[in-house]
Amino acid sequence: VSSSSMPFGQVVFGPPGAGKTTYCYGMSQYLEHLNDRKVCLVNLDPANEEVPYEPDIDVREIAAHKTVMETEHLGPNGTFVYIMEYLDENSDWLQQQIQSEKHKDSYFLIDCPGQIELYTHQNSFRNILDKMQRKCDLRLCAVNLIDSFNCCNPHNFISAVLVSLSTMVQLELPHVNILSKVDLLPQYGELDFDIDFYAEVQDLGCLVHHMSKVGPQRYRKLNDTVADVIESFGLVQFLKLSIEDAKLLQLVLEATDKGNGFVYQGQGQAEMIYGQAASILAQEYEHMQQKKAAKPDM
């Protein structure tokens, strides 16, 4: 591993049960044992009580979900928002942890909560990531896990793709989307299409047509519109992953290393490549907003 002081990492999120913690644990073992990288595991999920690894940095040290919920008299989801806002306002703690001497030259794996509203339209988590990049010079790639079980239901799959797109636009990070647990798919029965069809997300119109044949016709226009929005961005595709499959794990690692610039270090290109990748989503979003503004009101 290069002795460069520029840190790299992955920020891992997705809906509950998608396999985020398992991914962080499996990827950390893969990096340490087969790639000879020093790994720093960061737990930013204040409610993550059963983790198979020992976090090197743990948000529960300053704000445990159960404690905050009881002392502030909040509901479960409100507690997550409260803690993320607290961490945003007290980001110096996280900065000091990341820049600690014991984590020098580490590759960071950041395990995040499963509440998707934190990533789709709530700004605190985005602010935290921005500060990690600006103050710690941390080069991040977002890893969004979606349970491949969603492929069994076209409505669930389109919803998952839409959430993935919304997250990509909101966070404005180099992004890798993953269909997790593909090894379990045979247990769920035969899919309507091949798994590669879902991974490539290239013909949602075909999926919508299939939905209209087996579901209510009254939602056809809505489904068509959602599919058009997703395809107009052209940003969402998935890699397939079984955490115990070394070949699939290596493909994910290669994609994330390109996203955060790790693969380019030592070539004088890491910062340039990372900056270009991080700005693509912002440019796409601005372009779509201009197109929307140019349309006459109906």
Side-chain angles (χ1 to χ4, degrees):
V1 179
S2 169
S3 61
S4 168
S5 61
M6 181 184 295
F8 298 87
Q10 303 175 26
V11 52
V12 183
F13 53 87
K20 299 178 294 297
T21 297
T22 301
Y23 171 88
C24 288
Y25 181 52
M27 180 60 79
S28 69
Q29 291 185 314
Y30 186 75
L31 289 171
E32 290 178 335
H33 297 154
L34 297 179
N35 286 264
D36 195 28
R37 298 191 199 180
K38 179 184 176 183
V39 174
C40 176
L41 282 161
V42 182
N43 176 44
L44 289 188
D45 185 351
N48 202 353
E49 296 181 353
E50 297 182 6
V51 292
Y53 58 83
E54 185 67 31
D56 298 293
I57 301 173
D58 195 345
V59 71
R60 295 174 299 179
E61 293 180 6
I62 61 169
H65 185 272
K66 184 177 181 180
T67 302
V68 172
M69 186 166 59
E70 292 175 352
T71 57
E72 300 297 330
H73 306 290
L74 297 169
N77 289 341
T79 302
F80 279 107
V81 173
Y82 179 93
I83 292 175
M84 289 301 111
E85 290 177 345
Y86 178 82
L87 188 58
D88 180 15
E89 295 171 358
N90 297 273
S91 60
D92 288 347
W93 173 83
L94 187 58
Q95 179 184 350
Q96 292 170 4
Q97 296 285 321
I98 291 173
Q99 294 181 323
S100 170
E101 184 65 25
K102 65 181 178 179
H103 300 315
K104 184 179 180 181
D105 297 326
S106 290
Y107 187 95
F108 291 84
L109 291 174
I110 304 171
D111 191 0
C112 300
Q115 279 56 39
I116 59 174
E117 64 268 22
L118 298 175
Y119 320 117
T120 55
H121 57 272
Q122 226 269 341
N123 289 327
S124 295
F125 188 78
R126 172 177 170 169
N127 294 340
I128 293 168
L129 296 182
D130 287 344
K131 291 172 183 176
M132 291 168 66
Q133 294 172 92
R134 287 188 291 103
K135 295 183 178 181
C136 304
D137 200 27
L138 184 56
R139 300 298 194 254
L140 291 173
C141 179
V143 176
N144 174 39
L145 272 71
I146 297 294
D147 194 330
S148 59
F149 178 73
N150 287 286
C151 299
C152 300
N153 184 304
H155 299 87
N156 291 349
F157 178 73
I158 288 184
S159 297
V161 174
L162 191 59
V163 168
S164 299
L165 175 61
S166 178
T167 303
M168 294 174 76
V169 171
Q170 169 74 357
L171 296 184
E172 295 183 356
L173 281 174
H175 216 92
V176 174
N177 294 302
I178 295 174
L179 287 175
S180 63
K181 309 179 187 179
V182 294
D183 53 311
L184 300 181
L185 277 175
Q187 302 179 16
Y188 307 142
E190 188 175 353
L191 298 175
D192 295 323
F193 301 93
D194 185 84
I195 184 61
D196 290 332
F197 171 87
Y198 298 93
E200 293 169 3
V201 196
Q202 290 186 347
D203 192 4
L204 289 181
C206 183
L207 190 61
V208 168
H209 177 71
H210 176 75
M211 291 165 60
S212 67
K213 291 165 59 177
V214 299
Q217 286 290 327
R218 64 180 179 274
Y219 297 127
R220 174 62 187 267
K221 190 173 182 179
L222 174 61
N223 292 332
D224 282 333
T225 302
V226 172
D228 288 343
V229 169
I230 294 170
E231 292 183 336
S232 66
F233 276 87
L235 294 175
V236 183
Q237 286 189 328
F238 294 94
L239 294 177
K240 297 170 289 184
L241 180 63
S242 166
I243 197 62
E244 296 181 352
D245 190 321
K247 291 183 179 179
L248 294 180
L249 202 56
Q250 179 61 31
L251 291 175
V252 170
L253 180 59
E254 290 173 1
T256 55
D257 279 353
K258 289 179 181 178
N260 60 26
F262 182 90
V263 72
Y264 303 105
Q265 64 176 325
Q267 302 176 23
Q269 298 183 40
E271 187 167 353
M272 178 187 69
I273 296 294
Y274 179 85
Q276 291 175 348
S279 67
I280 288 175
L281 293 175
Q283 294 173 359
E284 288 285 347
Y285 180 72
E286 183 178 355
H287 177 65
M288 291 300 298
Q289 291 294 98
Q290 291 173 351
K291 286 176 62 177
K292 182 179 179 180
K295 288 183 179 181
D297 295 333
M298 300 301 290

